[in-house]
Structure formats: structure tokens, C-alpha cells
Amino acid sequence: MTSPLSPAEIRTLACLFEHLFPAGKGIAGATEIGAVDYILAALAGPYAAHVPEYRAVIAALDSAGGTDFAAAAPEVRASVVAEWEANRLPGLPDNPDRGSFDLIWRHLREGLFCDPAHGGNKDFAGWKTIGFAGAQFGYRAEEQALDRKVERQPASFRDLSESARLRATPTTQKSAPREADVVIIGGGAVGSFMAEKLVRQGLEVVILEAGPARHGREHAMDELLATAFRNAGGAAKFNSEVPTWRRNAGEPARRATMSQGLETALGGNSVAWGAVAMRFYEDDFRIRSATVERYGEERIPEGSTLADWPMSYRDLEPFYEEAERLLGVSGHAGNRRDPARSRGNPFEAPRSAPYDMPALRTSGLGQLFADAARAEGYHPFPLPAAILTAPYQGRHACTYCSFCSRFGCHVDAKASAQNTVLPAALASGRLTIVTGARVLNIVTDESGRAVGARYRTPDGETHFQGGGSVVVATYAFENSRLLLLSTDKRHGRGLGNETGQVGRHYMTRQQPSVYAVFEGRALNRFIGPTAQAMAIADLSADHFDHGALDFIRGGRIAAFNQYLPIEASGVLPPDVPRWGEKWRDFFAGAYNSTSMLFIDPEILPYETNGLDLDPDVRDDLGRPVIRITFDIGENERRLMAFLQDRAEAIAKRMGASRTWRRQFLTGPISTHDVGGTRMGHDAEASVVDGFGEVHDTPGLFVLGGSNFVSLPAVNPALTILALSLRAAEKIAGLHTAAPAVRIPA
């Protein structure tokens, strides 16, 4: 392999990395661990586009170090690195989206702590430094006990047997039938679950999926490829159309390149999701009227577009049950009559049936949180999860490995489209999936009715797929973008946008968590899925009296598992620098003693937040990307401070030796991005009705988180699926009552 850097440049890079992560007592330095070798291989491959930036940084370091950074005195090198981190070195590349230190520091952490299969972390030296065992098939319950030393030899994902990593790829076709009853744009969870229900009703369905087919176990136990930063799952599309973000209309937007990545492949984020499967609370569906009834109209924050949903919990409950059955959800039903004795969430809405399986087991960390929360007067419960705790419909129970959120499941315990609905839907013979089909726009006829979609294939050819109904079932960003890019003589501002509502009411989850170090304790948080968590809902929704408070609504506090080294190496208290001995020593000593009390605050919609087409930034096809305008309001800031106070009190009750807080505004793109095609009865204030049908475009449905009216303190996935299944029932009824409209290609 030809090196992308010269010998002199490699010498400077090696010196830099050793300065950032130096060798210490019993700890190998960056070069011995293999970080330089990893970077050189990455620059010759997936990071080739960053070679000019590396060369510019190396030249700037050498110049600032007196022509040779490696030959400079240690104190000079330290001063140069500090200036580089602050982006003040002359000659640094100009990138308005991020600093070069952020990029290279990220790459260094990958080289230190990635799976050795990628060329770094030689002989597992990085993992051995922190006590991480890597790719293990699973762990026993006793290994999750507090202060239990895990006696495992580190292993690579390459050590897993082939049967533990792969399954057959779902069958797809390169060309679709000339006509279909329903055309679904997007083969993620929404499109897949809708398709399964529609083919059960005898309809012919075509899914147009922009990404490739896959088996659903992708990146099993490989943190590097699964991370949001590398986001291999978004290579087919999302990585080339990352939205831009600004806090308000008065500031320039920058590309959200260091934010959360989204999957663009068959199954969408159902392969990568964390699988927390909670229902909304009853008052979430009448959030505005319930608030006004209890506290008065004046408590609605100024500028908020808070509104009730066009349905009740009772309307959606049957579809919650249907979604849970299809997924295979493990949990404990709440005991509303006796909260003190409830094994589940005592605040949950009424259920017509219990969960099919008991909740995931409680870890030592989870029990520590539960005991402390109970002592603080709260009612802890295990989060329900679409992860099996017993064999279910041919799938294996959870093995409690270290890799779940953002990973395909190596035993199919975690639900995805591939291991739940797609096999049966494809076996029906009534579903065709066209992969590599990037939809350019929705097509309408002379009357303004949606009749199909125009899409582009990887060979550059453009095709048309017609259908009686068209369903847009992509992520929140693409749902809005497709409508805005689809214009005709009747819809000059884009489909669904006659009243200017497309893109409005956007909300995204913020994560102002509290971190806690339990010095001297082994938490073993790296064992078990993210959703193996204990939580409290006492402070969610309107479960407590806000009368004397200066904010409305609430948030969930939980102790999650899954703590992987590349991401964890960037979790630092304010007094620990991002490089040098202090960083090395803190992370080596605190990795297995650090926990996070995860806070999910409720985010309200505001007039000032929304999505539109960026006038300056284009994707790889030359089309505008989505521009996000988003900031949190004062209501949310006061709420977050309140929740952080309570989380910190729980952490101290747990025995934390030190705590620190994340900032309130943690940025855009959270995978809990919602709004943009709000549902409602009033066409003047919404884009679709309660079934996802677009008010101003017959035959067109839009489904997904973009329909949300509000963003409760609950993971949105289960509600998204319930809404989609409800809409599928409506669409099936339309096609059963009358013949599908057949449109020639």
C-alpha cells in the first residue's frame, strides 16, 4: 500500500499522536497501540478525502514548532497543540463546520480503541488499558454485578462464527412491476411494517429504497463502522446530504457533520435503533388542552405552536398492541392502582394486554439506580424494549453482549424490519423492493393527484413507478424535502405546502445528561444492551404539579447500559483536557467507573424552528439539502436545569464521587427528530390528517416522526409504528372499497 503521507509527515504525525496520548506507567502510547498505522490505512481508504487536511495541519504544526514539530522541546509542542486545539495556528485549513482538531482527535480515538481488524488497537492494547473485552457472544448475569471483575480475553468481531454474524439477504428485484396498488418511498421501519400489513390485505406493494439490501446483522460488534461519525449505514445517501443547522434565521447555517448519522439502507434505522419501545402517555395526545385546563392559557410558552393531536390514546391503543406483537417487546405492565408495588411504569396508559415477555434483566448498575431513585421518592421501572428475553417467533433471546444501539443484532434478539416483517411480506409474492432507488420527486396527474414517483438508479438512469396510493415513509428530513422538491401546476410551493406548513413545527431531542464517576467501583456498564435500563417517569409529562414552577411538561431520567470505548473516550469532565497525560489517566482509570444518567426532556414546538431547503448547500445529485433552524426555548432551559438537579441528586445517592453536566443545547439530528409534516384536522395548520393523508394532494400519504404534533419524553419509534399501522389499515380499506388506480409508466 502506498502511503498517503511522506516519511517526514508520518514522523510529525507520530510525534503528535504520542503527545496527545503518551505512554505511561503500564500504559502503551498511541504509536505502540497502532494509532498511526490505523490512520495511514484509513487515509488510503475511507478517509482519503481528508488527506489534504492532514497535510495542512502537519505543515502548520511543523511551522509553529520551528520547522520541525517532532524536534521541538516538549513545552513548545504543548503550546503548539493548545493553539491548534483553539484553531489559532496559522495555516490551518478553513472549515466553517468544524475544527481540524475535532476531526483528527476523533480519528486518533478510533485508532486507539477500534477493533484490531481495522489496523489500530494492536494486540488489543487499547482495550486492555481500560478493561474492555470487545466482541463477546454474551455475558452472564453475575458478570453484570457491581465490582465484579470480568475475566475475559479480548476478542475481535472476526472471532465470531459466521453463523453468529450473518443471515440471508432479503430477496429484492432490480426492476419493479409496471403498476402497484401502493408505492412506498423508503424501506425503513415505517415502510416495511406498512408493506407487511398491506400485503396481508391482498394489495400489491412496491417499496422504493435508496440504499442497498442487507441482512440486518450489519456491523455486529464493530463500533468503528457503526458509529454515527463513520456511519457506514448512511454511505448510500445520507452521508452526502447531511443537513445544515443554524439556531435562528439571523445566523449562517453550517453542515451538521459531527452530529448523529442516519442509516440509508433496507430496514433503515430499525437495524441501528436502541429498541426502547414505550407508549406515549394519555395526556400527550391532548397536551395543549390538558395544560390549559390545569394551569391556564398563559402557561403556554410565548411563540410555541403547541397543539393537541388529532386522535386520542384510545384511538391508537390497538395499533400499539399490534406493533408490540410484531416487534416482540419485553417489559412489565405498570400497576397504576398500587405504584409502590409496580414492576413496570406506574404512569403508563391503560393496556389491553400484557407484554409477551418479561423485561430485560436488571444489571448491577440498574439496581443501584433503582435503589437510589426509590430512596429519593420515585418509582423506578425497567424500560420496555423490542429485545427478546425468551425465544420468540424463531428469534433468539438476548445474550447481553456489548453492542446493541447502532448495531445489527448478531442473534436477531433485537427487532428490525429484516427479522420481523420483511420475510413474510416478501414470501407473499405481493411485495417488490427496489433497492438503489433514490426518489427525486413525487409525480401528480393533471388533477393534482399523486400517481407515483420518479427515481434514479445507481447507473444514472431515471425511472417512474406508478401506483394507486403513494406513501412517503422516509425520515423526518427527507419527508419534508421530498414534498418541497415535488411541485406541479397546482402545488407551486411543493406538495402539501399550499398553506406553508411543510417544514414547520420541527423538534429534536436534546440530551442534557448528568455524568457520574464512582471512583474505585467497577460498573461493567459496557455489558448489556442500551435498553437494559432502569428509569423513572415521575418527572415526565404532567405527572407532577407544575403550579409553582416556571416551566411546563417534564422529562425521563434513566441509567442506560452500553458504554463503548471510542465514544466513551470523548466523555470528559470540564477539568480534564482532551489530550496528554491527564486525558490518558482519566480515561484509563474512569472508563469502567463512569455512568450517565440519561435525561430525555420534552421539547416543545416553536414558530422559530423548522426545516426548509438550504439555498447554498447541495447533495451529490445537486439538489438542496435540508436546512434545520432550531434552538431550545426558555421553557426547556428551565426544565432541563430542574431535571439535572434531580438526576444529580440520584447520582449522589448512588454514591458518585464526582458529577458533571452536559450543556442544555446538544445540537440537531438526534434520531428523535420529528415534525415538519404535522398531522391535524385543520389544513391551515397542518400538512396531513390523522391518518397521514396530505390535505391538498389526493392519493398521497406521509408517515413517520415528521407527523408528530409534540415530542414527549418517550422514545418515538413505537408511536411511529403504531401511527403507520393505523394508516395502513385506512389505505387498505380505500383499495378494498374501490379498484386501485392503474397508471401506465
Side-chain angles (χ1 to χ4, degrees):
M1 179 184 70
T2 302
S3 174
L5 301 179
S6 70
E9 289 171 327
I10 294 173
R11 179 169 175 263
T12 296
L13 184 65
C15 180
L16 171 65
F17 277 10
E18 198 65 26
H19 193 86
L20 296 177
F21 195 90
K25 186 177 180 180
I27 300 177
T31 50
E32 184 180 348
I33 290 175
V36 176
D37 293 336
Y38 163 77
I39 289 299
L40 294 177
L43 290 177
Y47 292 159
H50 295 306
V51 170
E53 186 167 2
Y54 266 78
R55 286 183 169 150
V57 168
I58 289 169
L61 293 171
D62 282 337
S63 177
T67 71
D68 188 350
F69 177 82
E75 61 272 16
V76 173
R77 291 201 297 267
S79 176
V80 170
V81 170
E83 290 296 293
W84 172 44
E85 182 181 17
N87 206 34
R88 291 194 294 255
L89 277 188
L92 289 178
D94 182 21
N95 188 323
D97 302 325
R98 54 155 180 79
S100 59
F101 182 94
D102 298 324
L103 178 79
I104 295 176
W105 184 57
R106 170 70 198 207
H107 290 173
L108 167 62
R109 289 158 47 205
E110 292 177 350
L112 293 171
F113 303 114
C114 68
D115 191 290
H118 296 290
N121 187 22
K122 288 184 177 179
D123 299 321
F124 305 104
W127 288 354
K128 289 176 181 177
T129 295
I130 61 175
F132 179 61
Q136 305 290 332
F137 183 83
Y139 289 91
R140 301 181 302 276
E142 57 266 27
E143 292 177 289
Q144 284 193 289
L146 292 174
D147 302 320
R148 169 69 181 263
K149 184 176 181 180
V150 177
E151 302 286 354
R152 300 273 187 127
Q153 290 297 314
S156 165
F157 67 83
R158 286 185 174 175
D159 299 329
L160 293 175
S161 68
E162 189 75 4
S163 62
R165 290 190 284 122
L166 299 177
R167 64 181 287 113
T169 301
T171 302
T172 60
Q173 294 178 224
K174 292 183 179 179
S175 60
R178 291 176 59 85
E179 56 187 30
D181 295 310
V182 182
V183 177
I184 300 176
I185 301 169
V190 172
S192 298
F193 277 72
M194 290 190 74
E196 192 273 343
K197 186 162 185 173
L198 292 170
V199 300
R200 271 194 277 127
Q201 302 298 315
L203 274 63
E204 296 288 334
V205 179
V206 172
I207 290 179
L208 301 177
E209 166 55 47
R214 54 181 176 169
H215 46 68
R217 294 190 179 185
E218 279 75 14
H219 317 316
M221 302 196 186
D222 184 1
E223 186 189 5
L224 177 62
L225 292 188
T227 57
F229 178 83
R230 177 73 76 91
N231 195 31
K237 183 171 180 285
F238 180 80
N239 293 351
S240 66
E241 60 181 34
V242 175
T244 58
W245 170 50
R246 58 184 183 174
R247 289 178 300 173
N248 57 68
E251 69 177 30
R254 59 183 177 85
R255 285 172 59 85
T257 54
M258 304 292 282
S259 192
Q260 183 80 307
L262 302 174
E263 301 271 330
T264 308
L266 186 63
N269 284 330
S270 77
V271 173
W273 71 316
V276 175
M278 284 186 71
R279 301 181 179 192
F280 283 4
Y281 300 104
E282 285 183 280
D283 82 331
D284 288 333
F285 293 93
R286 51 188 308 269
I287 177 172
R288 184 183 182 94
S289 59
T291 299
V292 171
E293 287 172 10
R294 188 171 183 183
Y295 304 111
E297 184 77 31
E298 66 277 7
R299 292 299 299 273
I300 305 297
E302 183 179 359
S304 175
T305 58
L306 197 63
D308 288 347
W309 290 58
M311 68 190 68
S312 68
Y313 171 80
R314 187 179 296 274
D315 294 327
L316 203 56
E317 200 277 336
F319 303 100
Y320 273 131
E321 183 183 348
E322 182 180 2
E324 289 169 346
R325 187 178 66 251
L326 289 169
L327 292 167
V329 176
S330 303
H332 298 311
N335 187 340
R336 293 158 61 91
R337 295 181 178 178
D338 189 357
R341 300 181 61 184
S342 178
R343 296 181 67 195
N345 180 2
F347 300 95
E348 74 173 0
R351 303 176 55 85
S352 58
Y355 290 104
D356 286 318
M357 286 157 285
L360 291 159
R361 73 190 185 208
T362 301
S363 66
L365 173 61
Q367 192 61 55
L368 183 66
F369 172 86
D371 292 342
R374 196 171 287 112
E376 290 288 311
Y378 304 124
H379 301 86
F381 64 95
L383 288 178
I387 300 173
L388 308 185
T389 56
Y392 184 82
Q393 297 182 358
R395 293 159 51 201
H396 195 288
C398 181
T399 67
Y400 298 88
C401 74
S402 299
F403 304 82
C404 192
S405 181
R406 295 207 65 84
F407 301 89
C409 181
H410 67 295
V411 294
D412 286 334
K414 184 177 75 169
S416 70
Q418 279 84 348
N419 61 31
T420 55
V421 294
L422 279 181
L426 287 164
S428 73
R430 292 187 290 273
L431 170 63
T432 299
I433 303 173
V434 186
T435 55
R438 291 183 66 173
V439 172
L440 304 175
N441 63 287
I442 301 150
V443 179
T444 57
D445 62 14
E446 287 296 319
S447 71
R449 178 185 178 84
V451 295
R454 192 168 63 92
Y455 65 94
R456 185 182 190 271
T457 47
D459 59 9
E461 295 295 319
T462 300
H463 307 267
F464 171 79
Q465 174 61 51
S469 294
V470 179
V471 178
V472 181
T474 66
Y475 195 69
F477 302 133
E478 189 70 350
N479 278 3
S480 289
R481 185 165 80 140
L482 268 179
L483 293 184
L484 293 173
L485 289 174
S486 301
T487 58
D488 61 22
K489 288 185 293 187
R490 293 174 177 267
H491 304 90
R493 305 170 67 183
L495 302 182
N497 200 33
E498 288 304 286
T499 58
Q501 289 292 307
V502 174
R504 297 194 62 195
H505 320 294
Y506 167 75
M507 298 157 281
T508 184
R509 181 79 67 209
Q510 301 301 288
Q511 300 164 349
S513 304
V514 169
Y515 291 103
V517 174
F518 299 82
E519 189 173 355
R521 304 210 68 177
L523 303 181
N524 296 332
R525 182 186 160 199
F526 60 84
I527 299 174
T530 308
Q532 186 194 7
M534 294 296 288
I536 60 170
D538 303 72
L539 304 175
S540 294
D542 199 37
H543 299 158
F544 59 106
D545 188 1
H546 292 70
L549 300 173
D550 57 359
F551 60 87
I552 59 171
R553 308 306 289 175
R556 185 183 67 196
I557 301 174
F560 284 91
N561 286 351
Q562 185 171 311
Y563 199 51
L564 299 175
I566 295 174
E567 295 302 319
S569 62
V571 176
L572 305 172
D575 61 325
V576 174
R578 294 193 288 174
W579 52 273
E581 295 177 357
K582 290 184 178 180
W583 173 41
R584 177 202 67 199
D585 292 344
F586 173 81
F587 185 55
Y591 169 68
N592 200 23
S593 300
T594 301
S595 182
M596 174 181 66
L597 298 195
F598 202 94
I599 297 174
D600 283 298
E602 190 157 348
I603 305 298
L604 303 184
Y606 290 93
E607 294 174 349
T608 52
N609 293 337
L611 308 172
D612 66 354
L613 300 178
D614 193 293
D616 303 312
V617 181
R618 299 288 186 270
D619 66 10
D620 58 334
L621 298 184
R623 306 188 309 158
V625 303
I626 277 291
R627 178 173 60 182
I628 302 168
T629 302
F630 176 82
D631 198 357
I632 53 175
E634 287 304 312
N635 181 82
E636 286 71 27
R637 294 179 186 277
R638 291 190 285 264
L639 165 62
M640 291 176 188
F642 173 88
L643 293 172
Q644 286 182 334
D645 288 345
R646 273 67 188 169
E648 193 166 46
I650 294 173
K652 290 179 178 178
R653 174 89 63 168
M654 293 168 67
S657 52
R658 69 181 305 186
T659 62
W660 70 96
R661 305 178 178 195
R662 290 188 76 187
Q663 68 273 22
F664 292 156
L665 180 64
T666 53
I669 314 181
S670 66
T671 72
H672 291 195
D673 301 274
V674 300
T677 65
R678 174 183 272 192
M679 58 170 47
H681 297 303
D682 183 3
E684 295 295 319
S686 60
V687 177
V688 302
D689 67 13
F691 294 93
E693 188 165 14
V694 177
H695 290 305
D696 68 17
T697 310
L700 180 61
F701 292 78
V702 180
L703 275 306
S706 63
N707 295 155
F708 278 27
V709 179
S710 60
L711 181 56
V714 174
N715 300 63
L718 189 66
T719 300
I720 290 173
L721 289 183
L723 291 171
S724 303
L725 293 169
R726 183 173 184 258
E729 187 169 285
K730 168 72 177 292
I731 294 170
L734 293 175
H735 286 267
T736 302
V741 177
R742 303 297 188 181
I743 306 297

